[in-house]
Amino acid sequence: MPLYLLTEHKDHIAGMDDIRAFNYKQNSPIDIYADQRVQKALIREFPYVFDGTGYPGIPQVVMHPINLLPFSIGNNIFTPIEVLHYKLPILGY
């Protein structure tokens, strides 16, 4: 399978910098629930967010690893369902 089919599409992860306004508004980090492949893509594409420098103004996030098992956020339970976005497996809820 070509490599481009195994990497995250930009339209799935490109909004990382846009969460800064939400950080400012709620005065806290944004939780990200993602599988290992997506987390690696975020770290690769946005290394300054995860390098630990704490530079002011970068997006503030907390990563929560998930897989195909149900997980909860507050009182809500989410069951990931693997679907295909063309030939790229992604998770729906």
Side-chain angles (χ1 to χ4, degrees), residues 49-85:
V49 174
F50 304 99
D51 67 6
T53 61
Y55 185 79
I58 63 170
Q60 302 295 311
V61 300
V62 176
M63 293 276 238
H64 300 276
I66 62 169
N67 50 38
L68 292 175
L69 298 175
F71 63 96
S72 61
I73 302 174
N75 294 326
N76 299 303
I77 297 174
F78 296 86
T79 302
I81 301 168
E82 190 172 78
V83 296
L84 292 177
H85 178 80

Side-chain angles (χ1 to χ4, degrees), residues 13-78:
I13 64 172
M16 176 68 83
D17 284 323
D18 299 327
I19 68 168
R20 291 179 289 193
F22 294 98
N23 292 147
Y24 177 77
K25 217 43 180 153
Q26 68 185 31
N27 197 30
S28 65
I30 297 287
D31 292 310
I32 295 177
Y33 296 82
D35 64 19
Q36 186 177 16
R37 190 188 78 236
V38 173
Q39 287 186 21
K40 285 180 179 180
L42 289 170
I43 292 166
R44 181 184 64 247
E45 295 294 321
F46 303 97
Y48 55 90
V49 174
F50 304 99
D51 67 6
T53 61
Y55 185 79
I58 63 170
Q60 302 295 311
V61 300
V62 176
M63 293 276 238
H64 300 276
I66 62 169
N67 50 38
L68 292 175
L69 298 175
F71 63 96
S72 61
I73 302 174
N75 294 326
N76 299 303
I77 297 174
F78 296 86

